[in-house]
Amino acid sequence: MSTTTPTDPTEPRKRLVVLHLIAQELTPGERYTQVEVDSRIRGLHPDVAALRRQLVDEGFVERRAGEYWRADDSAPPMAS
């Protein structure tokens, strides 16, 4: 069972916009540990692991070998 939260709206378009805004908490070109990413997004959603996973799954943040960074193409979704 899933629940809707402000950072996980049911409408996919709104969800992408919110994830884009959250990704802006990370500085382009800077590498972060999981702990650092969590500390930056902790105040935005109680389930930081789910939020971090969504950022990666949607391509706003990349992850490799325990490091996270903002994706180069983290432009906001196109308006419809």
Side-chain angles (χ1 to χ4, degrees):
M1 178 167 106
S2 67
T3 59
T4 303
T5 66
T7 55
D8 189 20
T10 55
E11 292 182 46
R13 182 137 215 69
K14 289 180 182 178
R15 184 171 160 273
L16 292 176
V17 170
V18 170
L19 289 172
H20 166 72
L21 291 172
I22 293 169
Q24 302 313 299
E25 295 294 316
L26 304 177
T27 304
E30 190 169 329
R31 301 284 175 137
Y32 299 91
T33 65
Q34 180 178 317
V35 171
E36 292 169 324
V37 172
D38 289 354
S39 73
R40 288 187 176 241
I41 64 177
R42 187 169 311 288
L44 304 172
H45 191 280
D47 188 352
V48 294
L51 185 54
R52 190 180 61 247
R53 214 170 16 256
Q54 289 175 13
L55 287 165
V56 172
D57 290 348
E58 294 295 343
F60 291 102
V61 173
E62 295 187 39
R63 172 185 62 213
R64 186 174 310 124
E67 289 187 320
Y68 293 78
W69 62 95
R70 195 167 104 188
D72 292 337
D73 61 359
S74 63
M78 303 216 8
S80 51

